[in-house]
Amino acid sequence: MEIALLGGTGDIGQGLALRCARDTDHSVVIGSRDADKAEQKANEYYSSLKETGVTPGIAGYSNETAADSAEVVVVSVPPEYASQTVETVAPVLGEDDVLVSPAVQMSRDASGFHYDPPETGSVAEAIDRAAPDDVPVVSAFQNLAAGALSGLENDLKADVVVTGDDSEAKQTVMALAEDIDGLRALDGGPLANTGVVESVTPLLINLAMNNDGMHDIGVRFE
Amino acid sequence: MEIALLGGTGDIGQGLALRCARDTDHSVVIGSRDADKAEQKANEYYSSLKETGVTPGIAGYSNETAADSAEVVVVSVPPEYASQTVETVAPVLGEDDVLVSPAVQMSRDASGFHYDPPETGSVAEAIDRAAPDDVPVVSAFQNLAAGALSGLENDLKADVVVTGDDSEAKQTVMALAEDIDGLRALDGGPLANTGVVESVTPLLINLAMNNDGMHDIGVRFE
């Protein structure tokens, strides 16, 4: 299976790219609006992974080219660009592909971070609206700290809540999450339940800001 | 210190009453709109606790009488009655008291549970608006499963995120939470951050509904 990380030059895309390339049997492609930047980042990730003793399959392309070859397409762009990015790659997506939404829209004020979803209810539902009707959308990975993910020396121990309306697509993404060392996938129900998953992310940041020793935390349900 | 559980005849009030009476040095009073019902429930809780070898100080009164004698007043009523309950007890509250908000307003549809806060942003902020200006409001205990709390045979292992604008009041409630066996208190920042804490509760219910073996789960941040 091939996994495309659109916006894979950003921090959460980088973390997911490194972990997928190191821990799973899938190949990874980095997408960016700027194909040269994607290629450069892919080379950097390749070098980082080589240092850990892994020889990964990892390459960089434009978002469209990355999405075209992949079965799992992770929209790891800033939330305000999510719908637009999906519209750009829509022509190369089909019913056998899965769009994955890991982004969270937040606001910040003097108190801390707040959940500030788009009108559709969540970034995942905004992506679902922008996607072709036959392409399933699954949300996952929102509650992982980018810093914890991208530092490959960190042993993860975190839950990944996965939501979606297409059960086969959801199973694909849950299996992918479980393939990454230290992650446990949990079923959060249909895509309409994504809001309460996304809103854990500002909570994690608030906890990191207000408690010693809680930098780059994740969440566990038990 | 005396802890009043307004609406302490309900499920979350029961769980907090039993745990506070068993695990802390504080005395517990059960409040209800119906003083006879409060007294009857207090007797039941007394019997349950006696069976575990504890002889608790626990009594039942009207909400007003319970709030009058307590320093920590937990508004453990259904969220739609929270503001009204606070208005009822407002005359007996002072600046040395703390109002605690553990309730969460949710909606349910075919997908699952959703966070459905009042217009003020959270139940805690609705309570803050209804409370006298000099009485500090702290939110806590929203993400504990009532079933896990009230079954005293359950060993808890869960985090309690506490929010509030008055740091002394917040410390009082964090210390109370830490006194309960198996709970860890975390600082979630000011009261304006409460929404992202409350919204974890519908997520916990969705996870319990969609995953085997996750009945009455709590949350841990690590």
Side-chain angles (χ1 to χ4, degrees):
Chain A
M1 196 163 79
E2 189 164 295
I3 301 159
L5 293 145
L6 310 187
T9 58
D11 59 356
I12 189 77
Q14 171 175 2
L16 288 173
L18 292 171
R19 298 274 168 178
C20 286
R22 191 191 66 174
D23 297 343
T24 80
D25 295 330
H26 310 303
S27 62
V28 170
V29 288
I30 306 302
S32 171
R33 282 180 298 178
D34 177 348
D36 289 341
K37 191 174 162 196
E39 193 180 346
Q40 179 199 325
K41 282 284 180 181
N43 288 336
E44 282 177 27
Y45 302 167
Y46 182 87
S47 300
S48 301
L49 287 158
K50 281 285 272 187
E51 283 171 22
T52 70
V54 175
T55 305
I58 189 164
Y61 303 106
S62 70
N63 280 331
E64 296 87 327
T65 304
D68 196 10
S69 61
E71 287 83 44
V72 173
V73 178
V74 184
V75 190
S76 45
V77 301
E80 60 271 30
Y81 300 121
S83 295
Q84 179 188 327
T85 302
V86 170
E87 284 160 11
T88 307
V89 302
V92 303
L93 298 176
E95 61 183 7
D96 294 332
D97 297 321
V98 183
L99 277 168
V100 179
S101 176
V104 176
Q105 195 164 301
M106 295 178 275
S107 61
R108 183 184 187 168
D109 61 20
S111 298
F113 283 78
H114 306 278
Y115 183 47
D116 187 21
E119 278 179 30
T120 44
S122 63
V123 174
E125 288 160 283
I127 285 177
D128 191 47
R129 189 174 292 186
D133 285 346
D134 61 342
V135 178
V137 175
V138 169
S139 96
F141 305 118
Q142 296 101 329
N143 306 327
L144 300 173
L149 270 184
S150 57
L152 288 173
E153 70 284 5
N154 300 316
D155 289 331
L156 302 177
K157 190 186 173 196
D159 285 341
V160 171
V161 181
V162 182
T163 62
D165 298 333
D166 181 301
S167 83
E168 197 181 333
K170 194 197 276 183
Q171 287 306 319
T172 297
V173 177
M174 290 181 76
L176 174 62
E178 296 258 345
D179 279 346
I180 297 176
D181 293 351
L183 299 187
R184 177 176 69 159
L186 296 173
D187 186 347
L191 205 67
N193 292 355
T194 309
V196 292
V197 184
E198 293 181 355
S199 69
V200 173
T201 304
L203 171 57
L204 294 173
I205 302 172
N206 291 339
L207 290 173
M209 289 170 66
N210 288 286
N211 298 273
D212 292 335
M214 301 207 85
H215 193 59
D216 283 344
I217 52 170
V219 64
R220 299 269 303 172
F221 301 95
E222 53 195 64
Chain B
M1 196 164 78
E2 189 163 292
I3 301 158
L5 293 145
L6 310 187
T9 58
D11 58 356
I12 189 77
Q14 172 176 1
L16 288 173
L18 291 172
R19 298 274 168 178
C20 287
R22 191 191 66 173
D23 296 343
T24 80
D25 295 330
H26 309 302
S27 61
V28 171
V29 288
I30 306 302
S32 171
R33 282 180 298 178
D34 177 348
D36 289 342
K37 192 174 162 196
E39 193 180 347
Q40 178 199 323
K41 281 285 181 182
N43 288 336
E44 282 177 28
Y45 301 166
Y46 182 87
S47 300
S48 300
L49 287 158
K50 281 285 273 187
E51 283 170 24
T52 70
V54 175
T55 305
I58 188 164
Y61 303 106
S62 70
N63 280 332
E64 294 87 328
T65 305
D68 196 10
S69 60
E71 288 82 44
V72 173
V73 178
V74 185
V75 189
S76 46
V77 301
E80 61 270 30
Y81 300 121
S83 295
Q84 180 187 326
T85 301
V86 170
E87 284 161 11
T88 307
V89 301
V92 302
L93 298 177
E95 63 183 6
D96 294 331
D97 297 321
V98 184
L99 276 168
V100 179
S101 176
V104 176
Q105 195 163 303
M106 295 179 274
S107 61
R108 185 185 186 168
D109 61 20
S111 298
F113 283 78
H114 307 278
Y115 183 47
D116 187 20
E119 277 179 31
T120 44
S122 63
V123 174
E125 287 160 283
I127 285 177
D128 190 47
R129 189 173 292 188
D133 285 347
D134 61 343
V135 178
V137 175
V138 168
S139 97
F141 305 119
Q142 296 101 330
N143 306 326
L144 300 173
L149 269 185
S150 57
L152 288 174
E153 70 284 5
N154 300 316
D155 289 331
L156 302 177
K157 190 187 172 194
D159 285 341
V160 171
V161 181
V162 181
T163 63
D165 298 332
D166 181 301
S167 84
E168 195 181 338
K170 194 198 275 184
Q171 287 306 320
T172 298
V173 176
M174 289 181 76
L176 173 62
E178 295 258 344
D179 278 347
I180 297 175
D181 293 352
L183 298 187
R184 178 177 69 158
L186 295 173
D187 186 346
L191 205 68
N193 291 356
T194 310
V196 293
V197 184
E198 293 182 356
S199 69
V200 172
T201 304
L203 171 58
L204 294 173
I205 302 173
N206 291 340
L207 291 172
M209 290 170 68
N210 288 285
N211 299 273
D212 292 335
M214 300 208 84
H215 192 59
D216 283 343
I217 51 171
V219 66
R220 299 270 303 171
F221 301 96
E222 53 195 65

